[in-house]
Amino acid sequence: MPPLPSSNESKASVPSLSELKAAIPSHCFEKDWKRSTYYMLRDFAFVGLMYYFMDYFVSSWIGYFVWANIVGFLGWCLFVVGHDCGHGTFSNNWWYNQLCGHLTHSVILVPFNGWQISHHKHHRFHNHIDKDESWKPMRKSYFENMDWAAKYLFRKTPLALVMYPWYLLGLPDSPLLSGSHFDPNSRLFNDNNRVRGGVSAVAVAVWLGALLYLVPTYSFFYYYFVPYLIFTMWLSMVTLLQHTDPKGNFFDDRSWSFQKGGLFTIDRNFGSLINHLHHNIETHVVHHFFFTKIPHYHLVEATEAVKPLLGDNYIFDPANPFMALLTTLDKCDYIEPVEGKPGTYMYAQEPKSKAA
């Protein structure tokens, strides 16, 4: 694999999107609703089996720890299936994508249509310092004005990984966020999609209300909420590492383009088992170029097809993702302009003396 390019290094000219598409086998763009449904049902079956055999795990704290982590990870796998639904790569039928998207996302308390709207914005403007949506970078002035807890606990430590529920709620009210994903009257929505946003919020509310009504509080916390938090940690870790790295570049209106933003998406390797179970979401570069066209089960093949054309422009970080997470949390504090490259920014680390 080629090394990560220096952020000060000028990217060589790259093939156009049409040239990249031509290099990918045509069957990679075919959506198979039966195959997609199989992966969805498989994930639900895995979750069901974990609850069925739960008593064999939870008799000890170590067993419970293993059980909760597996269930939380499987929640992340279900989210990725819904991710295909949101992109329209689950099937060619909009209604079926809506149904399966709500089934997979509502059970993990994600309002499907609200997420779909903000996520589409992220894909349209990936790595734009003002218009991107997911893990939007902070300017230095914003970072310096954050209070201590927000800056050092929830930005520079793994506690950042449990903030996804607050992101969905649009809290705190911040220019880094697009508003509540549950409230159809929030600024995330417009008159064309408020009803869809409300439908997804109701779906989550019905599921959550049923759980709270049917399950004792202790059991809800122990057997649902803890795995849910682990799911949010997986989601936050993977998405953070896909777009946040000391080598990454961001752009403003002067220099941003769709293709340039996509080039600074980062592929990683979580190991063959995890890669397969979470539906190859680690192959993110080609996904960002063709996010409405290639189902997850063709992403690996499509990636291999475009790598020769991208050459050194293809970014793959071979580091252990869990170690890379610690590096990212430590070094990616805020963005600063890159000298000699107008409209281009890179991550910087707050001086240790100032942090102390």
Side-chain angles (χ1 to χ4, degrees):
M1 296 293 180
L4 284 168
S6 166
S7 53
N8 291 313
E9 193 175 285
S10 297
K11 291 246 176 186
S13 60
V14 297
S16 65
L17 289 177
S18 59
E19 290 172 324
L20 291 173
K21 184 178 180 181
I24 298 172
S26 59
H27 69 265
C28 289
F29 297 95
E30 296 175 0
K31 307 167 189 178
D32 184 344
W33 71 271
K34 294 179 182 178
R35 188 172 182 181
S36 297
T37 303
Y38 158 75
Y39 285 115
M40 178 182 71
L41 295 178
R42 187 189 72 175
D43 286 351
F44 274 121
F46 284 160
V47 173
L49 285 171
M50 292 305 298
Y51 277 97
Y52 183 80
F53 291 107
M54 179 175 65
D55 290 343
Y56 293 95
F57 288 90
V58 300
S59 57
S60 69
W61 281 106
I62 294 176
Y64 172 74
F65 176 82
V66 172
W67 179 88
N69 272 275
I70 293 174
V71 175
F73 172 72
L74 291 172
W76 159 238
C77 299
L78 276 173
F79 177 89
V80 179
V81 171
H83 175 264
D84 265 17
C85 296
H87 282 305
T89 55
F90 190 86
S91 78
N92 287 312
N93 186 290
W94 184 87
W95 287 105
Y96 193 58
N97 292 339
Q98 282 283 306
L99 172 64
C100 295
H102 279 87
L103 287 174
T104 53
H105 277 198
S106 297
V107 297
I108 49 177
L109 307 185
V110 176
F112 176 71
N113 281 321
W115 163 82
Q116 183 187 40
I117 291 165
S118 66
H119 191 66
H120 184 68
K121 178 183 176 183
H122 160 59
H123 273 272
R124 286 183 61 200
F125 299 108
H126 45 210
N127 284 54
H128 191 293
I129 62 171
D130 296 313
K131 299 176 183 178
D132 198 351
E133 172 69 23
S134 180
W135 293 105
K136 184 182 295 185
M138 298 181 187
R139 287 181 167 85
K140 183 178 182 180
S141 58
Y142 188 94
F143 180 84
E144 290 180 335
N145 287 324
M146 293 173 66
D147 62 55
W148 184 90
K151 184 186 296 185
Y152 297 112
L153 290 180
F154 297 107
R155 185 70 183 184
K156 292 183 66 64
T157 74
L159 285 175
L161 302 184
V162 298
M163 297 306 294
Y164 187 68
W166 299 105
Y167 163 76
L168 292 178
L169 291 167
L171 298 173
D173 189 12
S174 163
L176 297 177
L177 305 177
S178 291
S180 171
H181 290 63
F182 291 94
D183 181 2
N185 292 313
S186 79
R187 63 179 180 272
L188 173 65
F189 301 96
N190 58 44
D191 292 340
N192 295 322
N193 54 39
R194 292 190 199 283
V195 173
R196 290 199 296 119
V199 168
S200 296
V202 168
V204 172
V206 168
W207 167 254
L208 182 59
L211 281 178
L212 293 173
Y213 178 76
L214 296 172
V215 179
T217 302
Y218 174 79
S219 295
F220 172 83
F221 178 82
Y222 199 59
Y223 301 123
Y224 181 82
F225 187 70
V226 172
Y228 164 76
L229 286 180
I230 294 170
F231 144 67
T232 67
M233 295 177 75
W234 269 99
L235 185 154
S236 298
M237 178 181 70
V238 175
T239 55
L240 175 69
L241 291 176
Q242 287 166 344
H243 301 283
T244 310
D245 187 274
K247 307 283 187 181
N249 281 188
F250 287 80
F251 310 93
D252 62 24
D253 282 338
R254 292 174 294 172
S255 61
W256 181 87
S257 68
F258 178 84
Q259 192 168 356
K260 189 184 291 186
L263 287 175
F264 282 96
T265 300
I266 301 166
D267 278 5
R268 299 185 185 272
N269 181 15
F270 289 82
S272 58
L273 179 61
I274 291 178
N275 290 348
H276 174 71
L277 290 175
H278 74 179
H279 308 297
N280 298 117
I281 195 67
E282 76 287 341
T283 51
H284 214 58
V285 175
V286 75
H287 169 64
H288 261 260
F289 283 131
F290 302 107
F291 59 96
T292 64
K293 301 183 184 301
I294 302 178
H296 77 263
Y297 39 82
H298 291 315
L299 286 174
V300 172
E301 183 178 1
T303 297
E304 293 301 316
V306 301
K307 277 163 59 176
L309 277 74
L310 291 175
D312 289 342
N313 294 285
Y314 171 68
I315 302 181
F316 173 84
D317 186 352
N320 179 290
F322 299 97
M323 295 298 101
L325 171 67
L326 297 178
T327 299
T328 291
L329 291 173
D330 181 49
K331 297 185 179 299
C332 298
D333 292 334
Y334 49 79
I335 54 170
E336 289 189 312
V338 176
E339 185 177 354
K341 299 175 70 175
T344 301
Y345 302 76
M346 61 180 290
Y347 272 108
Q349 182 181 28
E350 183 181 41
K352 294 295 185 182
S353 58
K354 193 168 185 178

